[in-house]
Amino acid sequence: NARYTLAESHLNAGKLDAAKKAFTQLHASPKSDATVKEVSLYRLIGIAVEQQDWKEAQKQSAAFRIEFPKSDHRWYAAWSEAQAR
């Protein structure tokens, strides 16, 4: 998925706003498969934590736990949500 690769490139380059926009679009897109949606939301949590946007981190973490309760990343989501409080 070229859009996913671009989003990861933005993230790796430290372009957090561009990465956030790209991952948000990927997560919302009906064309994205479940894995892309899961990883995109996981990345959005990490971006929110990095930017110390605790309200956004809490929101994304809660959404992650609901959408992907069996994910390997669920513990990170729970930790991020707790850190945001």
Side-chain angles (χ1 to χ4, degrees):
N1 185 322
R3 289 179 19 172
Y4 176 78
T5 301
L6 180 60
E8 285 287 343
S9 294
H10 287 316
L11 185 62
N12 291 333
K15 298 177 181 177
L16 298 183
D17 291 332
K20 181 178 178 178
K21 180 179 178 183
F23 284 122
T24 298
Q25 291 171 347
L26 285 166
H27 178 251
S29 175
K31 293 181 181 181
S32 295
D33 65 24
T35 301
V36 169
K37 287 179 180 268
E38 177 183 351
V39 174
S40 294
L41 191 52
Y42 169 73
R43 295 293 191 211
L44 288 168
I45 295 168
I47 291 168
V49 169
E50 179 72 22
Q51 293 180 325
Q52 296 184 357
D53 183 346
W54 304 119
K55 184 176 179 181
E56 186 68 15
Q58 190 171 19
K59 175 184 150 192
Q60 300 293 6
S61 297
F64 189 93
R65 289 188 304 105
I66 291 166
E67 289 183 50
F68 306 104
K70 295 182 181 182
S71 170
D72 289 342
H73 301 298
R74 69 187 180 276
W75 305 115
Y76 178 74
W79 175 82
S80 296
E81 188 175 5
Q83 185 179 5
R85 292 181 182 194

